[in-house]
Amino acid sequence: MDSKRKEGQLRRWLVSSAAALLLLSLYSLIFRFSAQDAEQSGSLSQYVSEQFVGIINALSGRPWDEAALTGMAEYFEHPIRKLAHFSEYACMGILVYTLWSQWMKRGRKLNLLTVVWVFLSAAADEFHQYFVPGRYASFADVLLDTSGGAFGMLFCICVAALYRKARKRKEDRKEKTP
């Protein structure tokens, strides 16, 4: 029993350490994106949109003319930018939930802590953006980011529930076989 306990604690520390390192890396990435001035940020968004439209164009089988490509890139730039926000914070929700779940019992407190943590992180990011030339703070982005974090947390909860269910089925089958 003592060796199982030590294994559990080692696993807890390893998972916590990995989640914390990935979370710090994610914070660094988000900070760097937020520190870009309006021109840099716009150029990056435009580039990503152009690449996305280029892939869609290649898959369509009928090449579009330059005006259509430009129009599509402009059309998709805003949704792609918002999807990037959502995705970054979904990753944050996964990492924060994973980190805190090693030390707290699953339940409402853990869920609330995760969502509040993501909300405060998003608010701090928008506050930082407020001081970057040509950028502004947006409460709508804070809400979008928080939604992404909540989605990431719910993803973890669902995966854990599926894992527990599969493990229970395996144990039940084991008990039935002589």
Side-chain angles (χ1 to χ4, degrees):
M1 185 69 173
D2 194 39
S3 70
K4 278 193 174 199
R5 185 185 214 165
K6 285 182 181 178
E7 284 177 26
Q9 285 187 336
L10 177 61
R11 184 183 87 48
R12 178 185 299 183
W13 278 102
L14 289 173
V15 169
S16 296
S17 298
L21 285 172
L22 290 170
L23 189 58
L24 287 173
S25 298
L26 181 61
Y27 274 117
S28 173
L29 179 72
I30 290 170
F31 181 82
R32 283 194 304 245
F33 282 143
S34 292
Q36 293 177 335
D37 64 25
E39 187 177 320
Q40 289 174 308
S41 179
S43 293
L44 179 59
S45 292
Q46 182 180 359
Y47 174 76
V48 171
S49 275
E50 288 169 355
Q51 296 304 308
F52 174 76
V53 168
I55 291 168
I56 299 299
N57 182 31
L59 293 174
S60 75
R62 293 188 330 211
W64 300 327
D65 63 14
E66 196 62 37
L69 288 170
T70 302
M72 293 286 278
E74 287 174 9
Y75 177 78
F76 283 115
E77 185 175 348
H78 185 75
I80 288 172
R81 189 180 194 102
K82 296 307 171 187
L83 183 60
H85 267 266
F86 187 88
S87 300
E88 288 170 339
Y89 283 86
C91 291
M92 184 181 291
I94 290 169
L95 293 170
V96 169
Y97 183 84
T98 300
L99 177 63
W100 284 108
S101 69
Q102 301 305 305
W103 306 100
M104 294 178 69
K105 201 165 86 173
R106 283 187 305 268
R108 288 185 182 145
K109 278 186 179 179
L110 174 59
N111 299 349
L112 183 62
L113 175 65
T114 301
V115 171
V116 167
W117 185 289
V118 171
F119 175 83
L120 293 173
S121 297
D125 179 48
E126 290 299 314
F127 181 73
H128 166 244
Q129 254 179 230
Y130 181 75
F131 298 100
V132 176
R135 303 287 295 270
Y136 62 94
S138 166
F139 189 69
D141 279 353
V142 172
L143 295 178
L144 177 68
D145 297 344
T146 303
S147 297
F151 177 83
M153 176 192 70
L154 290 172
F155 176 79
C156 288
I157 291 168
C158 290
V159 167
L162 290 171
Y163 175 76
R164 284 191 303 275
K165 189 174 182 178
R167 197 171 72 197
K168 183 168 176 14
R169 262 192 261 143
K170 185 178 178 182
E171 288 171 4
D172 289 347
R173 278 191 302 243
K174 215 177 201 182
E175 289 176 4
K176 289 180 182 178
T177 53

